Amino acid sequence: MRKDVRILLVGEPKVGKTSLIMSLVSEEFPDEVPPRAEEITIPADVTPERVPTHIVDYSEAEQSDEQLFQEISKANVICIVYAVNNKKSIERVTSHWIPLIADRTDKDSRVPLILVGNKSDLVEHSSMDTILPIMNQYSEIETCVECSAKTLKNISELFYYAQKAVLHPTGPLYCPEEKEMKAACVKALTRIFKVSDMDNDGLLSDLELNFFQRTCFNTPLAPQALEDVKNVVRRNMADGVQDNGLTLKGFHFLHTLFIQRGRHETTWTVLRRFGYDDDLELTQEYLFPPLKIPPDCTTELNHNAYLFLQSVFDKHDKDRDCALSPDELKDLFSVFPYMPWGPDVNNTVCTNEQGWITYQGYLSQWTLTTYLDVQRCLEYLGYLGYPILCEQESQAAALTVTRNKRIDLQKKQTQRNVFLCNVFGARGSGKSGFLQGFLGRNLMRQKIRHEHKSYYAISTAYVYGQEKYLLLHEVLPDTDFLSETDLSCDVVCLLYDVSNPRSFEFCARLYKNHFMDSRTPCLLVGAKADLPEVRQQYSLSPLDFCRKHKLPAPQRFTCNTAEAPSRDIYTKLTTKAMYPHVTQAEMKSSTFWLRASLGATVFAVFGFAVYKALLKHR
């Protein structure tokens, strides 16, 4: 909503523009009227809409055409004043003033007009018979007010309607010629209905309507008032109420009725509560609330965010198979202006045998988005209505910013739940298969079209009873140039093909150039272990290389299995990411595993409690 309102009064000389302003300010008719009143600012606390209001007068005798044009361009609303006892001043409304204003304003962002019939105290008749055809001809005219500066009749109302025309404009909502809401308004209200329909049954129940009412207007509806609203809908349309719940058509009808009866501030209150601006677009402030992320920190979803996302999943998982079919996914994202997940997501997270994203895969993709692109996560949560449904100031309340990784190393413990593993290897070494193996897919299930390929895979791994997310990132094979992003991760996986004699050299050179002196833990993986192993064309064998550089022995991996590939290696990567301060010698120590297990027991008990809460919620 605008932070202030600028009202411009124009019209023929002697129609009483200046008198109207002075009567408003002094609350009495002035004995002497100057040629033009100075600009007046009315403070927010004395205006009905609590918005500072600037009132600007125009005098043909005092100002040039250029000054008039400048004022027109700055005005939020223009009052065209005529005298009800002066026929010529009424004729000039259409022959001069409306065309002049139209020529000087942008057609795409029209300025609302108010027709003001002054000097009503001098006549016994109304000018409305003459004015109504004009209002019907020009859609930019919001309303007409007849008033008297001398008797103060309708003076306050005049400026209230001018404020209202700016703060609650009819133009974006309603087409008077068609007598129906505009497409953008229908689209916005449809999203609001779907967000408010918490059980996704296509109806707003009494409980949902009361939550909606309290969210938008800070007060619930009394049971009788709620029934009265539904009765109004029932009387006017057959399918507006079903099973005692308000349908989408009924919801649209109510807002059409509000607008037609001049109560469009009701519709605007709803739209603005759900994040819309005057152009019926979601505001940047709503979609991207401020979130400070210090260097070397990451972003994760908190417990309340996962509960919310779980409720969204349950709402759309109609067949209760713990997976989202293409239609269910489309329905979930119908409150978005575009489809946020492409076909690559199905190759990034776990899916069922039909290729549908599972509950685990769904949460994993949200976790990935939060970690890699937190601004997009905020945007997506905004579309889903997180701050409204969870009664939070913004969707930033759904996120946790982790502490600096250096502090984790100093304290030798981490509070993080998401860890990034960058996977390096020569071309053809099996990196893509390694990522897909993490999603439980053997070689037979890894038929991926090139345009649907994903360079990420995310799922959970359990480390001593603690469920953590491991995010694998396949880095393109270019040892000559590695970006800061390529080098910044929690653990490194160096992958080579045991059946290719030149494959290991790539990993060895990469490790010596970039990771030998870093504090990032590394793990060597011999992929395609189902094939005969050949001698690598390098000065040291992979095992001797690991011994020399005090690395764990190479781990063997294959995804050419009858069942899902083994997850042991992914657990080891997650463990190294969680405990980067622990040396390889300490890793072999029983004391370390005892300490880790004791710490994990605490987390496991807490995790079990959380799991029971989630299960109960589902």
Side-chain angles (χ1 to χ4, degrees):
M1 195 162 83
R2 287 188 176 277
K3 294 181 179 179
D4 62 356
V5 174
R6 190 174 182 86
I7 303 171
L8 173 64
L9 274 69
V10 299
E12 296 302 295
K14 307 296 183 183
V15 292
K17 300 183 295 296
T18 308
S19 298
L20 286 170
I21 296 172
M22 297 186 72
S23 293
L24 174 74
V25 174
S26 63
E27 296 185 348
E28 61 180 7
F29 187 67
D31 294 330
E32 294 185 8
V33 181
R36 175 175 174 265
E38 294 296 324
E39 181 178 325
I40 292 168
T41 298
I42 302 175
D45 57 355
V46 296
T47 64
E49 297 290 341
R50 302 292 178 186
V51 175
T53 302
H54 312 282
I55 302 175
V56 181
D57 192 10
Y58 164 70
S59 169
E60 186 178 325
E62 296 276 320
Q63 293 172 284
S64 65
D65 286 348
E66 189 57 39
Q67 287 174 310
L68 171 61
F69 300 154
Q70 287 178 3
E71 289 297 347
I72 288 173
S73 67
K74 291 190 289 184
N76 303 129
V77 57
I78 299 175
C79 296
I80 304 177
V81 184
Y82 63 91
V84 294
N85 63 340
N86 184 333
K87 188 177 179 181
K88 184 180 178 183
S89 69
I90 297 175
E91 291 172 353
R92 292 277 287 175
V93 168
T94 53
S95 65
H96 176 70
W97 289 108
I98 293 178
L100 175 71
I101 293 166
D103 287 343
R104 295 292 165 175
T105 53
D106 188 354
K107 292 179 181 178
D108 295 328
S109 55
R110 70 177 188 87
V111 178
L113 305 178
I114 306 286
L115 301 186
V116 181
N118 191 24
K119 304 187 181 182
S120 63
D121 59 294
L122 299 180
V123 296
E124 294 182 359
H125 64 273
S126 170
S127 63
M128 293 308 291
D129 289 343
T130 307
I131 295 300
L132 278 173
I134 299 174
M135 291 179 65
N136 291 331
Q137 183 180 352
Y138 297 96
S139 60
E140 59 265 44
I141 299 174
E142 289 283 328
T143 190
C144 175
V145 183
E146 288 193 345
C147 57
S148 169
K150 188 171 185 178
T151 65
L152 307 185
K153 176 188 173 184
N154 288 342
I155 298 297
S156 297
E157 286 79 359
L158 156 63
F159 291 101
Y160 166 69
Y161 284 127
Q163 258 196 347
K164 188 177 172 181
V166 177
L167 302 176
H168 310 300
T170 310
L173 305 181
Y174 190 73
C175 179
E177 293 84 5
E178 302 292 334
K179 291 184 171 56
E180 61 184 29
M181 290 189 297
K182 291 185 175 178
C185 183
V186 171
K187 182 181 177 182
L189 289 173
T190 300
R191 172 184 166 266
I192 291 169
F193 180 92
K194 289 184 175 182
V195 168
S196 303
D197 180 15
M198 290 181 263
D199 58 6
N200 199 31
D201 64 349
L203 303 170
L204 293 185
S205 65
D206 287 0
L207 192 67
E208 290 165 340
L209 279 170
N210 254 319
F211 182 83
F212 171 82
Q213 175 76 12
R214 185 163 50 83
T215 297
C216 296
F217 305 102
N218 298 316
T219 179
L221 276 174
Q224 187 56 50
L226 198 57
E227 200 57 37
D228 289 345
V229 168
K230 287 189 283 188
N231 284 334
V232 169
V233 178
R234 285 189 185 102
R235 285 195 298 269
N236 286 275
M237 57 188 323
D239 52 355
V241 177
Q242 290 179 3
D243 299 328
N244 206 36
L246 190 68
T247 66
L248 177 60
K249 286 185 178 180
F251 188 69
H252 286 163
F253 167 77
L254 274 179
H255 284 281
T256 303
L257 195 63
F258 291 145
I259 296 165
Q260 288 174 341
R261 292 184 177 180
R263 290 177 53 195
H264 31 284
E265 66 271 17
T266 302
T267 301
W268 274 116
T269 300
V270 171
L271 290 164
R272 287 183 175 128
R273 179 65 185 90
F274 278 78
Y276 288 93
D277 61 15
D278 289 352
D279 297 319
L280 299 183
E281 298 286 345
L282 289 170
T283 66
Q284 294 296 294
E285 292 78 12
Y286 172 80
L287 290 175
F288 305 105
L291 181 69
K292 187 177 181 181
I293 306 171
D296 214 22
C297 297
T298 58
T299 45
E300 299 178 359
L301 294 164
N302 60 32
H303 174 65
N304 289 331
Y306 280 116
L307 284 178
F308 170 76
L309 291 170
Q310 177 197 340
S311 71
V312 173
F313 183 94
D314 288 344
K315 173 178 171 177
H316 294 89
D317 183 18
K318 292 284 193 180
D319 53 11
R320 294 290 181 263
D321 63 348
C322 282
L324 294 175
S325 69
D327 286 341
E328 288 171 340
L329 199 63
K330 183 180 178 182
D331 186 39
L332 190 153
F333 289 126
S334 64
V335 294
F336 285 55
Y338 55 88
M339 184 65 180
W341 293 359
D344 59 309
V345 173
N346 293 59
N347 298 312
T348 305
V349 300
C350 294
T351 58
N352 63 13
E353 292 296 327
Q354 294 164 287
W356 300 351
I357 295 172
T358 62
Y359 173 67
Q360 178 61 51
Y362 164 83
L363 293 182
S364 296
Q365 180 62 24
W366 277 101
T367 303
L368 177 147
T369 304
T370 308
Y371 188 93
L372 294 180
D373 191 349
V374 68
Q375 291 299 313
R376 184 145 295 188
C377 175
L378 290 170
E379 179 188 0
Y380 290 174
L381 288 172
Y383 292 139
L384 290 175
Y386 178 87
I388 290 102
L389 296 177
C390 294
E391 301 181 80
Q392 297 290 338
E393 185 176 341
S394 76
Q395 51 271 38
L399 305 180
T400 295
V401 178
T402 65
R403 68 186 181 189
N404 192 295
K405 292 180 184 178
R406 287 195 299 272
I407 299 175
D408 284 353
L409 287 169
Q410 290 167 6
K411 293 184 176 291
K412 297 186 177 181
Q413 61 179 359
T414 183
Q415 298 170 333
R416 292 187 296 134
N417 295 300
V418 186
F419 299 93
L420 176 63
C421 171
N422 280 350
V423 181
F424 296 89
R427 199 175 301 278
S429 58
K431 298 186 296 299
S432 298
F434 184 71
L435 265 66
Q436 292 300 303
F438 187 34
L439 305 178
R441 296 169 189 161
N442 58 23
L443 201 60
M444 291 296 293
R445 290 188 61 198
Q446 293 184 18
K447 297 174 181 177
I448 302 170
R449 291 166 59 180
H450 179 72
E451 62 268 27
H452 297 168
K453 178 178 170 61
S454 173
Y455 292 94
Y456 289 94
I458 182 169
S459 189
T460 53
Y462 285 86
V463 179
Y464 314 117
Q466 301 177 58
E467 185 184 35
K468 302 292 181 180
Y469 280 97
L470 180 65
L471 173 56
L472 301 179
H473 174 214
E474 178 185 342
V475 182
L476 294 175
D478 185 355
T479 55
D480 297 328
F481 175 78
L482 289 179
S483 68
E484 189 67 31
T485 304
D486 297 332
L487 297 172
S488 177
C489 58
D490 300 302
V491 62
V492 170
C493 177
L494 299 169
L495 200 86
Y496 68 95
D497 177 0
V498 299
S499 66
N500 183 346
R502 300 186 63 85
S503 186
F504 176 71
E505 181 186 3
F506 178 94
C507 295
R509 190 169 69 248
L510 191 97
Y511 175 80
K512 292 171 72 175
N513 289 344
H514 298 288
F515 297 108
M516 189 165 65
D517 298 322
S518 80
R519 300 181 69 177
T520 306
C522 298
L523 189 67
L524 270 163
V525 175
K528 305 183 184 180
D530 57 297
L531 300 177
E533 186 170 1
V534 299
R535 180 184 178 85
Q536 295 293 321
Q537 294 178 11
Y538 189 70
S539 56
L540 294 172
S541 70
L543 180 60
D544 290 337
F545 182 89
C546 289
R547 286 172 177 164
K548 178 180 178 180
H549 294 285
K550 298 181 180 179
L551 295 171
Q555 306 294 305
R556 294 174 65 81
F557 174 81
T558 179
C559 55
N560 190 9
T561 55
E563 303 297 330
S566 169
R567 294 180 64 85
D568 290 349
I569 198 162
Y570 305 109
T571 303
K572 289 179 181 178
L573 286 167
T574 312
T575 304
K576 292 184 77 65
M578 285 179 66
Y579 303 104
H581 56 281
V582 179
T583 64
Q584 180 59 24
E586 288 175 317
M587 279 274 187
K588 293 179 179 178
S589 164
S590 59
T591 309
F592 163 73
W593 297 122
L594 179 62
R595 290 201 309 269
S597 299
L598 286 172
T601 303
V602 177
F603 279 97
V605 171
F606 173 73
F608 182 67
V610 170
Y611 170 75
K612 286 207 301 183
L614 283 169
L615 198 62
K616 184 178 179 182
H617 186 75
R618 282 178 68 81

